[in-house]
């Protein structure tokens, strides 16, 4: 294919650049007024203490939704939530066919089924190492290694050059499940010429290599072989190779394996769907595991990040219906602490320790976990194989992306761009540069409603969480006179022996009464005038009583 005179190749991340999570990348090809697009990955990120009640956060697709008929396909590199988690939420707004390898497709189908979309979505299942042509984009899947089955890099060929979109990767010489990184394919691509490499930045601050799942298997065999009593192991369910190692270590020591947590069961089913786990002994149900002798059972659990409703949290709380751990039992954390989860993990571990459970973590047993992302040694290796003209670091916070860009310069990569979500980068023709800015933002999944980031309800919830709330009822008669004393109720506000809460609320009711009575006759006919007068007066009063500013909600009832 010969490029047209005005054709451009652009890269536009709408998620995943300047953050680790919520990957949502776009490639556009064609003249500026008639681009065809492909989407690479459609993931979520997770809420934290600053987003009370919001657990799932999505990239805002508004910009590209306007060009939905020009989206030719959505290509998914691998099945981690930060790459596929938003498919069920956002597919309806993009409506393009999906491309994924079988393991990823299995999990995506489940998401679409839950979203009631399965019958509408065309899923092209692509074999590992396969090739697909999507409009002007010819895409080769390149097998890489990561921390989940079937991770793929993408060679995206266009008439203006080839982009190597690495996806999440590391160089694991022995990944246990699946093949090693297809170095030959990457070298061949390098020989043909790589215009740009869009690459994982997660571990750019870590020297050396991430390490192999095979070494973790050895360490887990050794550790689990020496344990007495009940053993629980926490790890990411999506790391099926890790699950496999734990299961085999248990079997080698005469322990039956009991899976605890929904995602453990889901991932086991996904693994079986692609022919994994064929030769392992059947799992034992949690209802039966308790009657096995303690050193004949191993629990493989969700919740290694301290997630409040996951299996490990319930065991630590003593609220799991079937599983108890105590003195003489062990809990192995075959996982790292994801930044932001330090406090819940510490709380979880303290509770387990308090039950007498012995803890084994990556900190004191460094061999029991390895990262799935490339460290500097691996990045250097990849740049050497692919030899791109342009480095485009993604999958990192700002500091990761800038450090990665500097590292690429040190490695003699001629050009580089450090994207922020919304930056439209022209990769060809000419020098790579940011040519436009697209609106990029986040959507919060608040209950069952999608809301803009930090919209009013969440701001109110944060305010109430730290300041409490007052509810006032004002009853007025037909002439605008108070028909009863105002009623004040408090949420989340304290009282003490010197000034009990009931007394404080009576005083506040008095303040409300004065505020209404101070209004001129006409203003009392206007609900909003009454509400704001009462709110003003109660905020002042609350300052006096509690030295804080609770939310004030005034109901005006007319009889
Ligand atoms: Zn990943
Ligand atoms: Zn990722």
């Amino acid at each position: 294919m010969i490029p047209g005179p005005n054709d451009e190749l652009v890269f536009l991340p709408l998620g995943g650049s300047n953050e680790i999570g919520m990957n949502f990348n776009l490639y556009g090809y064609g003249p500026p007024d008639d681009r065809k697009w492909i989407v690479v990955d459609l993931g979520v990120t997770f809420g934290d203490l600053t987003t009370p009640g919001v657990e799932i956060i999505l990239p805002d697709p508004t910009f590209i939704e306007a060009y939905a008929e020009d989206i030719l396909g959505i290509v998914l590199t691998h099945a981690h939530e930060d790459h596929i988690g938003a498919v069920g939420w956002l597919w309806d707004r993009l409506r393009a066919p999906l491309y994924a390898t079988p393991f990823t497709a299995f999990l995506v189908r489940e998401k679409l089924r839950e979203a009631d979309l399965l019958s509408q979505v065309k899923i092209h299942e692509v074999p590992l190492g396969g090739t697909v042509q999507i409009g002007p984009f010819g895409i080769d899947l390149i097998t890489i290694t990561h921390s989940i089955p079937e991770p793929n890099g993408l060679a995206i060929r266009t008439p203006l050059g080839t982009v190597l979109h690495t996806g999440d990767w590391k160089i694991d010489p022995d990944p246990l499940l699946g093949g090693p990184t297809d170095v030959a394919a990457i070298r061949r691509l390098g020989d043909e010429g790589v215009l740009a490499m869009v690459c994982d930045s997660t571990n750019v601050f870590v020297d050396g290599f991430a390490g192999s799942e095979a070494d973790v298997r050895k360490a887990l065999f050794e550790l689990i072989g020496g344990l007495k009593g009940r053993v629980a192991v926490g790890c990411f369910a999506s790391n099926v190779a890790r699950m496999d190692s734990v299961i085999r270590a248990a079997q080698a020591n005469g322990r039956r394996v009991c899976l605890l947590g929904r995602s453990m069961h889901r991932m086991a089913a996904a693994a079986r769907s692609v022919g994994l786990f064929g030769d392992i002994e059947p799992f034992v149900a949690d209802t039966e595991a308790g009657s096995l002798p303690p050193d004949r059972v191993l629990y493989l659990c969700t919740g290694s990040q301290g997630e409040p409703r996951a299996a490990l949290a319930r065991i630590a709380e003593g609220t799991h219906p079937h599983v108890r751990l105590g003195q003489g039992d062990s809990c192995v954390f075959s996982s790292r602490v994801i930044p932001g989860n330090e406090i819940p993990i510490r709380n979880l571990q303290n509770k387990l320790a308090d039950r007498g459970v012995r803890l084994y973590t990556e900190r004191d047993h460094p061999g029991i976990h390895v990262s799935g992302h490339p460290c500097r040694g691996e990045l250097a290796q990849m740049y050497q194989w692919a030899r791109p003209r342009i480095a485009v670091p993604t999958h990192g916070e700002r500091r990761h992306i800038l450090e990665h860009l500097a590292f690429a310069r040190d490695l003699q990569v001629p050009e580089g761009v450090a994207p922020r979500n919304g930056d439209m980068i022209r990769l060809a023709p000419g020098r790579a540069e940011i040519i436009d800015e697209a609106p990029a933002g986040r959507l919060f999944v608040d209950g069952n409603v999608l809301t803009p980031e930090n919209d009013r309800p969440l701001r109110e919830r944060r305010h109430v969480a730290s300041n409490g709330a007052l509810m006032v009822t004002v009853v007025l008669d037909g002439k605008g006179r108070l028909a009863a004393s105002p009623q004040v109720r408090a949420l989340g506000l304290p009282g003490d022996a010197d000034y009990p809460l009931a007394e404080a609320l009576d005083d506040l009711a008095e303040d409300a009464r004065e505020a209404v009575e101070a209004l001129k006759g006409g203003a009392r006919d206007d609900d909003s005038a009454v509400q704001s007068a009462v709110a003003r007066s109660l905020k002042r009063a609350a300052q006096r009583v509690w030295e804080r500013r609770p939310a004030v909600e005034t109901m005006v009832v007319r009889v």
Side-chain angles (χ1 to χ4, degrees):
M1 228 171 114
I2 310 289
N6 298 319
D7 282 2
E8 293 178 343
L9 170 61
V10 298
F11 170 64
L12 168 60
L14 291 178
S17 288
N18 277 5
E19 63 195 330
I20 295 180
M22 208 178 84
N23 295 282
F24 185 27
N25 298 295
L26 302 164
Y27 290 92
Y29 186 89
D33 57 353
D34 187 23
R35 292 191 174 102
K36 300 294 172 200
W37 297 92
I38 53 167
V39 172
V40 175
D41 291 336
L42 189 47
V44 296
T45 197
F46 297 100
D48 57 23
L49 296 173
T50 68
T51 61
V54 173
E55 289 175 11
I56 295 175
I57 297 173
L58 314 171
D60 186 345
T62 304
F63 168 80
I64 197 64
E65 194 178 0
Y67 304 97
E69 67 261 36
D70 294 316
I71 306 174
L72 305 179
I74 300 169
V75 185
L76 304 169
T77 59
H78 66 288
H80 275 149
E81 286 295 309
D82 61 322
H83 297 258
I84 66 165
V87 171
W89 296 102
L90 297 181
W91 183 85
D92 203 34
R93 294 173 63 172
L94 307 175
R95 307 194 74 80
L98 299 179
Y99 294 81
T101 54
F103 179 83
T104 305
F106 180 94
L107 290 163
V108 164
R109 265 188 216 107
E110 207 165 75
K111 289 186 185 300
L112 292 169
R113 200 173 295 125
E114 275 167 23
D116 220 359
L117 286 169
L118 190 56
S119 60
Q120 300 181 48
V121 184
K122 173 81 191 143
I123 302 179
H124 298 272
E125 223 173 87
V126 188
L128 291 165
T131 294
V132 288
Q133 187 73 37
I134 309 177
F137 304 94
I139 299 177
D140 301 343
L141 268 59
I142 298 176
T143 292
I144 48 166
T145 50
H146 183 37
S147 48
I148 192 167
E150 299 184 1
N152 300 285
L154 307 176
I156 304 172
R157 298 168 191 278
T158 76
L160 283 169
T162 299
V163 176
L164 175 55
H165 184 102
T166 66
D168 295 4
W169 64 281
K170 70 194 250 188
I171 300 173
D172 189 337
D174 190 0
L176 301 181
L177 306 179
T181 302
D182 189 350
V183 179
I186 300 168
R187 277 180 191 274
R188 217 162 33 236
L189 215 58
D191 292 342
E192 290 168 23
V194 172
L195 171 70
M197 183 159 90
V198 176
C199 183
D200 185 347
S201 308
T202 313
N203 278 342
V204 69
F205 288 104
V206 186
D207 282 325
F209 287 73
S212 175
E213 280 298 327
D215 295 332
V216 176
R217 175 168 295 194
K218 264 187 232 130
L220 286 171
F221 264 70
E222 242 164 65
L223 174 61
I224 291 169
L227 297 177
K228 306 267 177 284
R230 292 187 183 82
V231 174
V233 179
C235 72
F236 286 113
S238 56
N239 192 336
V240 175
R242 190 72 54 85
M243 276 179 84
D244 190 74
S245 292
V246 174
I247 291 164
R248 287 173 204 282
Q251 285 181 187
N253 291 286
R255 291 178 184 270
R256 302 278 309 274
V257 175
C258 173
L259 301 184
L260 296 180
R262 216 170 72 103
S263 52
M264 283 291 167
H265 290 281
R266 194 175 64 222
M267 284 296 164
R272 286 217 160 90
S273 80
V274 295
L276 302 172
F277 285 179
D279 60 336
I280 58 173
E281 290 164 21
F283 300 120
V284 58
D286 56 358
T287 45
E288 290 163 33
S291 55
L292 293 170
D295 53 1
R296 289 282 162 262
V297 64
L298 180 144
Y299 296 103
L300 189 43
C301 310
T302 58
S304 63
Q305 296 302 309
E307 301 93 324
R309 287 182 303 281
L312 277 179
R314 293 161 74 194
I315 294 172
E317 296 277 357
T319 56
H320 196 286
H322 308 295
V323 183
R324 296 272 173 280
L325 291 187
Q327 204 67 44
D329 298 334
S330 305
C331 185
V332 179
F333 286 78
S334 182
S335 57
R336 76 179 186 118
V337 176
I338 290 187
N341 295 341
E342 294 85 353
I343 294 169
I345 292 175
R346 203 167 59 210
N347 290 344
L348 169 69
Q349 294 181 342
N350 281 326
K351 281 181 197 147
L352 287 167
D354 205 21
R355 293 185 171 273
V357 177
R358 190 79 201 265
L359 303 174
Y360 298 86
T361 69
E362 190 201 10
R363 232 154 106 210
D364 30 46
H365 292 76
I368 60 175
H369 176 69
V370 291
S371 169
H373 298 275
C375 302
R376 287 172 91 87
E378 285 150 300
L379 287 168
Q381 184 72 82
M382 184 61 95
Y383 277 102
Q384 219 172 63
W385 289 332
R387 283 158 286 145
R389 198 184 89 203
I390 308 161
V392 185
T394 55
H395 207 287
E397 296 170 9
R398 195 71 191 148
R399 63 199 173 94
H400 298 103
I401 284 179
L402 292 174
E403 178 66 21
H404 187 164
L405 188 66
F407 188 52
R409 279 205 194 98
D410 289 348
L411 295 170
Q412 315 299 325
V413 180
E415 292 179 50
V417 183
R420 298 169 198 271
N421 290 334
D423 284 347
M424 189 188 286
I425 300 168
R426 188 181 58 216
L427 299 172
R431 241 189 117 68
E433 59 177 335
I434 297 168
I435 54 167
D436 204 352
E437 226 158 89
R442 315 198 305 166
L443 299 176
F444 287 174
V445 178
D446 196 352
N448 59 357
V449 179
L450 289 191
T451 66
E453 175 170 17
N454 297 320
D455 203 19
R456 184 171 159 175
L458 191 75
R459 292 203 310 271
E460 286 176 351
R461 213 147 65 218
R462 275 196 212 112
H463 182 81
V464 172
S466 18
N467 297 283
L470 291 169
M471 270 77 61
V472 194
T473 309
V474 174
V475 184
L476 299 172
D477 66 14
K479 293 185 172 144
R481 293 174 307 207
L482 280 167
S485 290
Q487 297 281 312
V488 183
R489 292 268 177 284
L491 253 189
L493 287 161
D496 61 18
D498 291 344
Y499 195 17
L501 184 60
E503 203 177 299
L505 296 182
D506 284 346
D507 291 347
L508 261 53
E510 202 44 45
D511 287 300
R513 169 201 295 279
E514 283 166 17
V516 174
E517 283 174 349
L519 284 171
K520 299 277 178 290
R524 288 195 212 172
D525 294 338
D526 175 0
D527 285 4
S528 64
V530 176
Q531 283 163 342
S532 54
V534 170
R536 251 194 328 273
S537 138
L538 286 205
K539 278 186 175 152
R540 225 173 13 243
Q543 195 65 40
R544 183 187 75 224
V545 178
W546 293 286
E547 294 182 12
R548 63 168 54 149
R549 292 176 67 82
V552 179
E553 212 36 59
T554 309
M555 273 72 63
V556 179
V557 181
R558 293 185 187 275
V559 292

